[in-house]
């Protein structure tokens, strides 16, 4: 479909410069800017979108944006010479369909093609800026309208009031604004929302022009590049409570809880009681909090929690039921570092987000409430994973193309175990040193599992290729049959460890398997290396133990059975 339009929205120059941090094909999106008036009734929206982009090669002649099920009215390019001041129209709106233009300017329209799923915009050969204050990127402006089929959910809260919530994971932002909807291309995000009272509007980033909120005008700007699946807005009759802010190196980070009024007291006193302390703990473990604020928001998300950058959304049902607990808050807060600031470059490396959040939920919980949080939590993760339907598939599973099916026990529970075992393999000092370097190096960018592996190898000063190959690339987990016998004549105990997991899972290398021998309430320990299907270990002891335990501290993701046999030492 090819259309041209008449007049076009004006364009906005934001304070500050965009940062190019991702690429999709030959295009790098620098920033999205949305101007949207929320309708008092009905589900139709009319919006203006500005997309700042840079192109890697001058030969590129088409900008392709994902946009599903909307109607595109007009497309045009900005004239940088016109953008010599911050647009004032948002603060003094003009009339027109869906809020009119942003700056009261008109720009010559250009042809475009739109098939209901992708918007294709021909772009002329790039000319370099002629003025020192012109941005190095280009800007396309799009006026569009329609009823979002997904992504922006317009509905009614559990308390019977109208609400608006974006819910973009994994690729649903494309249903309500034009994007390169892929985690590989991160960008800044700005929303300018006009909303009727008594609605309040929350979004990513820091507030701009807060004095205009009394007139129902809300402006949020996330200056850090974030993935599109975390770019959101929420509007409802919120009550906002401020928790103690977090001190960072250069500023104070506001911590807020946005809830429906009926649920505010419960939220502040139960799930978000330690909201500030959680951020402070994770800062000490990982590094500086990546954003300028953190809001915890009651919403209509379909997920148990959604880690939108600086504005985490939680479903309303557990608020109403009184079942929302701190563990979910710790998990989603950990995502601000891993998933949001450091984003998996490819969906099949989702464990870099979900496995990390699952593990550092427990690590933060242990720091706040005692080691039993980690001990019990990691054990529960093992049990959940072993009962799951994905044990026959590896964590990195390129054969799985249904992104929703990647929300599984491999990427969550087994992913947390990969980190737990890596910590045990290289020690706390190297583990946390490497973790902090990984965050520092890839913050505001994207990474793959190989990137994480390289950083951890440098921190540990040892080869870890075998570790990542088996725990990310092999399905399943080791199942050990531990059979032992004692020869009273030679005072030798023979232990035979056999890996009995399905052949399709392969064998696992386990350099440090702790064996504990208990006699008269006294425990003695010995570490042995398991490599291959069958391992035999012989140890001298004066009497047979009353009990033999394998991995007594639960440091490894494995299942064991222990039996005593009548074999004699030297005859395994």
């Amino acid at each position: 479909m090819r259309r041209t339009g008449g007049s076009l929205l004006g364009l906005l120059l934001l304070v500050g410069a965009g940062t190019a941090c991702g690429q999709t094909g030959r295009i790098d999106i620098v920033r999205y800017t949305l101007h949207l008036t929320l309708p008092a009734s009905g589900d139709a929206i009319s919006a203006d979108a500005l997309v700042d982009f840079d192109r890697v090669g001058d030969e590129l002649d088409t900008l392709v944006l994902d946009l599903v099920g909307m109607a595109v009215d007009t497309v045009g390019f900005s004239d940088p010479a016109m953008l010599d001041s911050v647009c004032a129209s948002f603060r003094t709106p003009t009339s027109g369909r869906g809020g009119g233009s942003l700056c009261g300017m008109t720009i010559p329209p250009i042809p475009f093609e739109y098939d209901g799923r992708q918007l294709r915009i021909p772009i002329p050969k790039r000319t370099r800026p002629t003025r020192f204050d012109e941005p190095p990127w280009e800007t396309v402006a799009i006026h569009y309208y329609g009823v979002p089929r997904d992504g922006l959910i317009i509905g009614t809260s559990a308390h019977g009031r109208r609400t608006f919530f974006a819910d973009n994971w994994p690729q649903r932002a494309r249903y309500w604004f034009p994007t390169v909807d892929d985690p590989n291309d991160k960008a800044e995000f700005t929303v300018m929302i006009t909303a009727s009272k008594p609605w309040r509007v929350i979004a990513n980033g820091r507030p701009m022009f807060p004095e205009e909120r009394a007139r129902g005008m809300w402006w949020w700007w996330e200056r850090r590049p974030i993935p599109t699946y975390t770019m959101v807005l929420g509007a409802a009759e919120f009550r906002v409570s401020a928790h103690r802010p977090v001190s960072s190196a250069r500023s104070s980070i506001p911590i807020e809880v946005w809830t429906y009024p009926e649920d505010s007291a419960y939220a502040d006193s139960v799930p978000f009681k330690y909201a500030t302390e959680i951020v402070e703990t994770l800062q000490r473990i990982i590094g500086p909090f990546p954003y300028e604020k953190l809001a915890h928001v009651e919403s209509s998300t379909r997920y148990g929690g959604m880690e939108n950058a600086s504005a985490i959304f939680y479903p309303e049902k557990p608020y109403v039921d009184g079942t929302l607990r701190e563990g979910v808050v710790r998990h989603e807060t950990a995502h601000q570092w891993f998933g949001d600031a450091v984003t998996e470059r490819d969906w099949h490396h989702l464990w870099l987000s979900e496995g990390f959040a699952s593990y550092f939920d427990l690590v933060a919980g242990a720091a706040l409430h005692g080691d039993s949080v980690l001990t019990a939590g990691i054990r529960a993760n093992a049990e959940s994973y072993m009962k799951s339907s994905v044990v026959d598939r590896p964590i990195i599973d390129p054969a799985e193309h249904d992104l929703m099916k990647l929300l599984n026990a491999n990427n969550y529970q087994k992913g947390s175990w990969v980190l737990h075992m890596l910590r045990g393999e290289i020690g706390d000092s190297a583990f946390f040193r490497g973790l902090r370097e990984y965050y520092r190096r890839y913050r505001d960018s994207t990474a793959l599992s190989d990137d994480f592996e390289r950083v951890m190898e440098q921190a540990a000063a040892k080869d870890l290729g075998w570790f990542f190959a088996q725990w990310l690339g092999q399905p399943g987990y080791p199942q050990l049959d531990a059979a032992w016998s004692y020869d009273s004549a030679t005072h030798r105990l023979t232990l035979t460890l056999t890996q009995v997991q399905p052949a399709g899972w392969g064998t696992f290398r386990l350099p440090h398997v702790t064996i504990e021998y208990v006699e008269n309430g006294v425990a003695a320990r010995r570490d042995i290396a398991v490599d291959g299907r069958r391992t035999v270990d012989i140890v001298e002891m004066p009497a047979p133990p009353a009990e033999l335990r394998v991995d007594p501290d639960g440091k490894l993701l494995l299942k064991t059975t222990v039996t005593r046999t009548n074999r004699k030492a030297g005859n395994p």
Side-chain angles (χ1 to χ4, degrees), residues 246-408:
V246 171
S247 296
S248 65
R250 297 182 181 179
S251 63
S252 179
I253 302 165
I255 307 295
E256 298 178 337
V257 175
W258 292 57
T259 59
Y260 307 146
E262 296 87 344
D263 306 320
S264 179
Y266 163 74
D268 286 330
S269 62
V270 180
F272 302 108
K273 181 178 180 179
Y274 295 102
T276 298
E277 289 80 0
I278 292 170
V279 175
E280 291 173 333
T281 300
L282 290 169
Q283 278 201 141
R284 290 194 299 271
I285 294 169
I286 304 167
F289 184 74
Y291 305 111
E292 294 176 296
K293 71 111 177 20
L294 180 59
H296 298 280
V297 185
E298 185 175 6
S299 77
S300 62
T301 178
R302 67 174 60 171
Y303 305 107
M306 184 58 222
E307 64 269 19
N308 311 306
S310 79
I312 300 170
F313 284 9
Y314 304 85
E316 62 180 25
K317 188 176 186 299
Y319 288 80
V320 176
D321 295 345
T323 57
L324 185 63
R325 292 295 182 262
E326 182 189 305
V328 178
V329 180
R330 296 194 305 259
H331 179 103
E332 302 305 333
T333 302
H335 268 309
Q336 302 298 295
W337 284 264
F338 300 116
D340 296 359
V342 181
T343 304
E344 64 280 6
R345 193 174 308 146
D346 181 277
W347 288 119
H348 293 103
H349 296 253
L350 185 62
W351 85 280
L352 293 173
S353 175
E354 297 299 348
F356 276 57
S358 297
Y359 188 59
F360 288 101
D361 153 21
L362 302 178
V363 172
L368 289 170
H369 308 298
D371 291 344
S372 62
V373 174
L374 177 57
T375 302
I378 204 72
R379 184 181 299 120
N381 282 357
E383 293 172 357
S384 179
Y385 163 68
M386 291 176 182
K387 294 176 182 177
S388 76
S389 62
V390 293
V391 290
D392 288 323
R393 305 185 73 121
I395 287 180
I396 299 179
D397 188 6
E400 181 57 77
H401 300 293
D402 185 339
L403 299 183
M404 294 299 293
K405 291 183 179 179
L406 293 177
L407 298 176
N408 61 37

Side-chain angles (χ1 to χ4, degrees), residues 23-195:
Q23 295 179 16
T24 298
R26 304 293 291 174
I27 283 290
D28 176 20
I29 304 299
V30 177
R31 177 174 53 223
Y32 299 100
T33 301
L34 300 182
H35 184 206
L36 176 65
T37 298
L38 301 182
S41 61
D43 295 341
I45 65 169
S46 182
D48 297 322
L50 287 72
V51 180
D52 297 338
F53 68 96
D54 197 4
R55 42 182 156 177
V56 178
D58 290 339
E59 71 281 1
L60 188 70
D61 61 3
T62 305
L63 172 65
V64 180
L65 298 173
D66 299 304
L67 182 65
V68 178
M70 304 299 283
V72 179
D73 180 66
T74 319
V75 175
F77 282 101
S78 71
D79 178 358
M82 299 169 64
L83 302 178
D84 56 0
S85 65
V86 174
C87 147
S89 70
F90 174 68
R91 304 173 72 183
T92 311
T94 58
S95 61
R97 182 170 58 190
S101 67
L102 290 176
C103 300
M105 303 175 186
T106 58
I107 298 173
I110 61 171
F112 62 89
E113 294 181 359
Y114 180 54
D115 62 3
R117 298 197 65 83
Q118 286 189 324
L119 178 61
R120 304 180 66 86
I121 304 168
I123 52 180
K125 184 175 178 61
R126 175 170 49 186
T127 57
R128 293 295 176 184
T130 58
R131 289 174 23 187
F132 75 92
D133 58 344
E134 290 181 20
W137 59 83
E138 302 163 86
T139 302
V140 64
I142 304 153
H143 181 76
Y144 64 101
Y145 58 94
V147 176
R149 300 177 190 173
D150 202 350
L152 184 63
I153 311 303
I154 304 173
T156 303
S157 74
H159 305 292
R161 292 186 287 272
R162 187 168 169 82
T163 60
F164 299 79
F165 289 106
D167 197 28
N168 293 341
W169 201 93
Q171 292 178 317
R172 295 155 60 214
R174 64 185 66 187
Y175 287 92
W176 65 283
F177 72 98
T179 70
V180 174
D181 201 8
D182 189 279
N184 186 32
D185 201 335
K186 301 171 73 170
E188 294 182 27
F189 183 62
T190 298
V191 292
M192 299 174 292
I193 304 296
T194 302

